[in-house]
Each structure stands twice: as C-alpha cells, then as structure tokens.
Amino acid sequence: GTPRAATKDEQRRLALPGKALVTELVAEAFGPVETLSTSHTSGISVAVAGTAVVGRFGVDLIREFPERPGLARRIFSSEELSGLLAPPTWRQVLRAAALKEAAYKSLEATEQRGVTFRQIRLTWRIQDLLAEAHLGEGPAFALVASALGEEFFVALAVAV
C-alpha cells in the first residue's frame, strides 16, 4: 500500500524517550523521581527530572518557525501588549510562549485546568532572561528563565 505520514502523536512518541524510562534512569542515579517535565520539537527532546528536594518545575523547547500573524494575541494578554513600547518581535513572541509553557508545566495538574497563556503574566527581573510568572494579578508562582540559540528557545520554570 501507499505509505502514510506519521501522526503528530507517533512523531512525539518516536522523538521522546518514554517518561517511564527517564524516570527509571533518574531514579537509579539520584533516587525517587518526584517531578518530571518533558518537551520536544523537530526530533529534539529535553527531559528534566527531580527528586523531592527540587520541587515542581516545567521545561519547554521551541524551534523557531515562520511568523504566524495573530499568535502574539494568543500569547500576551491585552495588558501585556498595551504595556509594550512597540509591538513584540517574532523572537519575543516565541520566547514568551516558551516561558509561559514552562511556567504552566510547573503548576500542579489541578491548578492547570482552564489556564491559558494570556492568563500567565510575566514580570521581568532581568530583561529577556529571568522573569516571575503570575496568574493574573496574583503572587508569583514560578521563576522562569530562557536561553536561545539560532533555531531553538528553551525555558525552565521553578515553582516558588
């Protein structure tokens, strides 16, 4: 028969080591895993696992892709957009998406329900490097940091 393209779920499972395997390897080296966060894109994967000492965290990896009109409005709240001196650059939109996804992943599963990127507000502590993540006007729930290369953004959030 004619070959078909792999589904996104099939691509994800092939690109990312199973959570059970990552959990087992980390447990062998460091002790029982309390927190595991994974992300993948374009055949690149990242997994971060922690013991009880570490607490909750989240990680996200984004490969830079062509600009999509309107994506900034899905990432930034109207308050965030109105507070900017100029419209965000495409790289700023992608960085914010990675930071907000990592922050979202640092929430407990019960806290994630119904939360959108527009509800997660970033307060920069070191411009384009370190920020606090808030849900609306609430107190910070995570510290988030990012790094970028020529093609990828990676973000890590640690619950506070």
Side-chain angles (χ1 to χ4, degrees):
T2 305
R4 66 172 175 79
T7 66
K8 288 213 180 248
D9 186 56
E10 289 168 334
Q11 291 172 1
R12 180 185 59 77
R13 286 183 297 173
L14 290 173
L16 186 65
K19 286 187 175 187
L21 175 60
V22 172
T23 301
E24 180 182 322
L25 294 173
V26 171
E28 284 177 15
F30 302 105
V33 172
E34 297 289 326
T35 306
L36 177 67
S37 184
T38 61
S39 188
H40 62 279
T41 184
S42 303
I44 304 293
S45 303
V46 61
V48 180
T51 61
V53 175
V54 176
R56 293 188 331 270
F57 55 83
V59 65
D60 194 45
L61 177 68
I62 293 181
R63 182 179 198 146
E64 192 163 351
F65 53 90
E67 192 166 340
R68 291 187 189 160
L71 186 60
R73 288 189 306 275
R74 292 180 50 210
I75 303 298
F76 294 102
S77 68
S78 54
E79 292 82 15
E80 286 175 308
L81 286 171
S82 66
L84 297 174
L85 299 175
T89 66
W90 182 236
R91 290 177 71 82
Q92 288 172 322
V93 171
L94 293 176
R95 181 190 304 270
L99 289 167
K100 289 183 177 197
E101 177 71 16
Y104 174 83
K105 289 178 178 180
S106 77
L107 292 167
E108 293 283 354
T110 56
E111 298 170 321
Q112 292 176 348
R113 287 193 196 107
V115 173
T116 67
F117 281 178
R118 290 173 50 87
Q119 293 171 313
I120 297 174
R121 182 175 51 87
L122 299 175
T123 303
W124 290 103
R125 293 296 170 226
I126 301 173
Q127 189 62 40
D128 293 332
L129 180 63
L130 181 68
E132 292 178 345
H134 305 259
L135 278 176
E137 295 302 314
F141 70 87
L143 287 176
V144 289
S146 68
L148 64 142
E150 291 184 22
E151 293 182 62
F152 295 94
F153 291 83
V154 66
L156 179 65
V158 178
V160 293

